Amino acid sequence: MKKKRKILGFKQYIIIFLCIITLNFFIPRLMPGDPFTFLSAEEGQDHTAFSSEDIERHKKYYGLDQPLWQQYISYVRNLLKGDLGYSIHYKEEVLTLVLSRIAWTLSLVIASVLLSAAIGVFLGTISAYYRNSSLDKILYSGLITLSEVPSFIIALVMLFYFAAHLKLFPLSGGMSHFVDFSSRWEMIKDILLHAFLPLMALTITRIGEFYLLARNSMISILDKAYIKTARGKGLKRRRILFYHALRNAIPPIVTRIFLSFGGALGGAVLVENVFNYPGVGRLMRQGVFFRDYPLIQGIFVVMTLFVLVMNYTADAIYKKLDPRVS
Amino acid sequence: MKKVSNLIKAFSFLGKASVMVMMLFFILAIIPSLLTSHSPYIPSGGALTPPSTLHWMGTDDLGIDLWAQICHGARSSLIVGFGTAFLAAGGGSLIGILGGYYGGKLDGCLMRSIDLMMVVPELPTMIVLGAFFGPSKMNIIIVLSLFSWTRPARIVRSKILSIKEEKYVKVAEGYGGGFSYLARRHFLPQVFPLIMVNFIKLISRAIVAEASLSFLGLGDPTSKSWGLILNHAMSFRGIYFTDFWKWWIIFPLLCIVLMVLAISLISKEIENLLC
């Protein structure tokens, strides 16, 4: 069963984004209850009672007395201006909160996808060359099994084995606090040391995907005539594999890299919470914990936007690399 | 039933072992109260005691027996896994059959929505829906199904598109066979093995997703689940500096890994034998 992906146009992505925004707009309005009890009455807290004039005033202030379509239009307009709302718990603009954290998450996601692609393609190439040998079989079953295990489970294992038991790595956080770094290099080293385990946890689960892709396309490429020619010319094995053959396997791998960002982002949300990594995923869980709905929704919009942009890029690159797709 | 046992007989050693593991989990899920005398909700011993003869897997910070929690957790994992798989595989294949058979506008509509679901990031959306609609088992199943129906639908649809052109279907249509007759007699029997393989994959996906959501604190708080135990343990302050993780984290972790691997091995075996 081959997975076929449809290439979508720019217009379709806009439609998808609008669908997401609409969903985001309607979810809080579909919830049972009133916005006023929703904002003020949490379990175990004092209930602030509003008089009916107060409620009228607040409704007017938040634009809730207007018809639904006007609320929707102003919601979209605010969103386009970059106004994602106001966090209840942190008492700050959601956008500023997200922007202050997003670099941690993005660097983790991008680095892990690139790293897993590199490792996966390398192992896949070797596996394809030594097809049906015991090395191939071990790599195949091992990597496929590893890719079944969710990344946060691997993260937990790594956290407790490498950080807590062997004490090789820091336990949590993005960098050491209250430390004066003697040089910029020291600081970078500290950040990398903190990022290592989360990065590995995210990378390991994705290797299998790239491995399979590279192995399959390399197996068909290695049977082609030009590989025989290259071999006949007496070229070195390494040059044949990584120069002549891999070059033709690259297009699907590049598109897969961009398509992987969505899944990797989901993994990062979980892994960040294992390591208390200061990224957006951690922020999202804080939002869930404190029932900070505007924050959750804001992060959701930003994440969706990122994934959609990556998918669009994947499609664009695929069209460019493979002229048969129009 | 006989078919199933024949199928299992054809499995390799690893496949048979996975079936055994799954059966054990089923036993845990069906009769948890017979396997343990402790309650999964009420403290039954000292807090954070290591594994002993009284408490097989030790206790958590409230003194609640972990083995009891694991048994009850197996139940919620399996309920969510099978519930989601039934809903998603059933709904998905119905949609696929309808779309493939009728074609036209209906099909176009369904395909568009599948395209949409394919690009939307799964976990963030599930978090938003889970956070707003409240963490109950039913909601989790519905949210997970919402994200799982696309694959069976697409697979079934492409199969139907090819079956539809077969001569015997044309003949049946010529004799006046309606949609429900065709679906029952010709489509479902052929689509069934495909759905079966997909069904098992859906179970493991759903179990992983449920564990992830509970780990993030979006699980059903009224019932025990493995993700919830992990969530609880991880929010215990400074758990890394103690030895408590050696039972509190490792046992639920092992259960999740074992179950996911067993299911994936079974689905591989079935895929090799049926397709």
Side-chain angles (χ1 to χ4, degrees), chain A residues 150-199:
Chain A
S151 53
F152 81 100
I153 295 288
I154 294 184
L156 277 172
V157 172
M158 288 183 140
L159 170 67
F160 283 101
Y161 190 69
F162 291 109
H165 189 65
L166 296 179
K167 299 190 172 59
L168 288 174
F169 292 96
L171 287 162
S172 65
M175 56 192 290
S176 309
H177 295 285
F178 315 116
V179 180
D180 284 322
F181 295 109
S182 51
S183 64
R184 176 146 283 208
W185 169 236
E186 285 287 309
M187 196 173 97
I188 293 173
K189 218 168 81 178
D190 185 61
I191 289 176
L192 286 180
L193 206 60
H194 278 84
F196 185 78
L197 286 184
L199 187 61

Side-chain angles (χ1 to χ4, degrees), chain A residues 4 27 31 266 273 285, chain B residues 123 132 154 216 231 245 268:
Chain A
K4 250 196 245 145
I27 285 178
M31 278 196 15
N273 282 302
R285 177 165 176 207
Chain B
L123 192 75
F132 273 98
R154 252 176 356 146
L216 287 177
N231 172 38
W245 60 270
K268 285 233 166 73

Side-chain angles (χ1 to χ4, degrees), chain A residues 270, chain B residues 123 126-127 140 144 208-219:
Chain A
L270 291 160
Chain B
L123 192 75
M126 290 201 288
I127 292 174
I140 290 176
L144 290 181
V208 168
E210 190 269 341
S212 314
L213 283 180
S214 327
F215 178 70
L216 287 177
L218 283 169

Side-chain angles (χ1 to χ4, degrees), chain A residues 44-316:
Chain A
Q45 273 184 351
D46 289 332
H47 187 126
T48 334
F50 285 102
S51 67
S52 53
E53 292 99 71
D54 271 344
I55 291 181
E56 281 307 312
R57 211 188 51 208
H58 277 101
K59 274 197 172 160
K60 208 170 171 102
Y61 179 75
Y62 287 108
L64 290 172
D65 53 346
Q66 288 165 352
L68 207 59
W69 62 272
Q70 249 169 11
Q71 291 180 35
Y72 181 68
I73 287 176
S74 63
Y75 170 77
V76 173
R77 197 182 293 144
N78 283 342
L79 211 59
L80 290 178
K81 274 191 244 161
D83 178 9
L84 291 174
Y86 199 78
S87 160
I88 301 169
H89 176 70
Y90 290 94
K91 307 203 171 33
E92 218 178 316
E93 292 278 330
V94 171
L95 190 70
T96 16
L97 275 172
V98 171
L99 285 182
S100 67
R101 303 279 198 104
I102 202 157
W104 293 100
T105 306
L106 283 192
S107 45
L108 207 58
V109 166
I110 292 171
S112 81
V113 169
L114 291 181
L115 200 61
S116 54
I119 299 174
V121 168
F122 178 73
L123 293 177
T125 310
I126 290 178
S127 210
Y129 189 80
Y130 296 106
R131 197 175 349 157
N132 295 330
S133 70
S134 50
L135 177 75
D136 174 39
K137 275 175 194 144
I138 291 170
L139 275 178
Y140 187 87
S141 43
L143 286 173
I144 298 300
T145 313
L146 262 187
S147 65
E148 296 285 344
V149 184
S151 53
F152 81 100
I153 295 288
I154 294 184
L156 277 172
V157 172
M158 288 183 140
L159 170 67
F160 283 101
Y161 190 69
F162 291 109
H165 189 65
L166 296 179
K167 299 190 172 59
L168 288 174
F169 292 96
L171 287 162
S172 65
M175 56 192 290
S176 309
H177 295 285
F178 315 116
V179 180
D180 284 322
F181 295 109
S182 51
S183 64
R184 176 146 283 208
W185 169 236
E186 285 287 309
M187 196 173 97
I188 293 173
K189 218 168 81 178
D190 185 61
I191 289 176
L192 286 180
L193 206 60
H194 278 84
F196 185 78
L197 286 184
L199 187 61
M200 280 301 122
L202 276 175
T203 305
I204 285 174
T205 34
R206 301 218 86 79
I207 289 178
E209 187 186 328
F210 288 103
Y211 167 81
L212 260 189
L213 187 69
R215 184 175 174 274
N216 287 345
S217 46
M218 283 303 267
I219 282 178
S220 62
I221 287 170
L222 285 177
D223 282 338
K224 293 264 162 71
Y226 58 84
I227 297 294
K228 269 197 196 111
T229 316
R231 217 175 268 163
K233 281 197 299 189
L235 292 181
K236 280 208 187 86
R237 190 172 62 199
R238 202 190 301 156
R239 196 172 159 78
I240 295 174
L241 271 184
F242 293 104
Y243 186 79
H244 290 251
L246 194 56
R247 202 169 212 212
N248 290 293
I250 288 279
I253 292 166
V254 172
T255 43
R256 182 59 69 84
I257 287 177
F258 282 94
L259 293 178
S260 289
F261 283 119
L265 194 64
V269 171
L270 291 160
V271 169
E272 274 177 15
N273 282 302
V274 173
F275 290 99
N276 281 337
Y277 206 71
V280 191
R282 174 119 192 92
L283 196 63
M284 199 167 193
R285 177 165 176 207
Q286 299 287 325
V288 169
F289 189 77
F290 293 112
R291 294 283 179 269
D292 192 342
Y293 295 103
L295 182 62
I296 304 174
Q297 285 191 296
I299 295 174
F300 171 60
V301 169
V302 173
M303 282 183 172
T304 316
L305 191 64
F306 170 71
V307 173
L308 289 182
V309 168
M310 285 304 156
N311 273 280
Y312 179 66
T313 320
D315 288 352

Side-chain angles (χ1 to χ4, degrees), chain B residues 21-80:
Chain B
V21 169
M22 283 315 286
M23 277 182 175
L24 281 179
F25 278 127
F26 269 110
I27 294 171
L28 289 193
I30 293 166
I31 43 164
S33 40
L34 289 182
L35 295 167
T36 165
S37 49
H38 300 297
S39 156
Y41 301 103
I42 302 163
S44 53
L48 294 164
T49 50
S52 61
T53 44
L54 185 63
H55 297 287
W56 280 32
M57 293 185 173
T59 56
D60 68 3
D61 60 338
L62 298 172
I64 304 173
D65 186 61
L66 268 177
W67 168 239
Q69 293 190 48
I70 294 263
C71 292
H72 285 261
R75 178 183 281 184
S76 30
S77 281
L78 287 174
I79 287 178
V80 170

